[in-house]
Amino acid sequence: MAVAALPLPLSLPKKPLPAGRPREWYIAHNRRLKTMRLVIALLDSGVYEPAQAGDRRIRATAERIGVHPPSDLTCRMVRALIGYGR
C-alpha cells in the first residue's frame, strides 16, 4: 500500500525585527527561534525526552535542517523546552 506524501508546511513571511532594542535582545530572540526550530525537528524525529537529546544529536539535527551549529547554551535550552512538555 502506497503512502501519500504530506505537503510541506508553508513558511510565514518574515517580518523585520523592531528597531531600537539592545543587541542582547536580538541575540536572545534569535537563540529562542533556533531553539524552537530544533525542538520541532527533534520531536518530529522521535526525540521526546531531554535525556535523548544530547549535544551530538542536537547538533546533527541542526545540520540536517540547515541551521548553524548551536552553542552549549542553545543545546541546554532545547533540552529544557523538551522537558516542559512532560
Side-chain angles (χ1 to χ4, degrees), residues 1 4 10 13 15 32-33 36-37 42 48 50-52 54 63-64 72 79-80 84-86:
M1 180 171 159
L10 299 175
K15 298 179 191 173
R32 287 190 300 268
L33 290 178
M36 288 295 292
R37 286 188 196 105
L42 285 164
Y48 302 113
Q52 295 175 310
E63 184 177 336
R64 185 170 49 86
D72 291 343
R79 282 188 289 277
Y84 284 142
R86 301 255 105 223

Side-chain angles (χ1 to χ4, degrees), residues 53-86:
D55 288 352
R56 184 175 292 163
R57 178 172 273 178
I58 294 170
R59 290 187 172 110
T61 302
E63 184 177 336
R64 185 170 49 86
I65 65 172
V67 298
H68 288 284
S71 66
D72 291 343
L73 177 60
T74 303
C75 290
R76 283 194 300 272
M77 288 174 66
V78 167
R79 282 188 289 277
L81 193 54
I82 291 173
Y84 284 142
R86 301 255 105 223

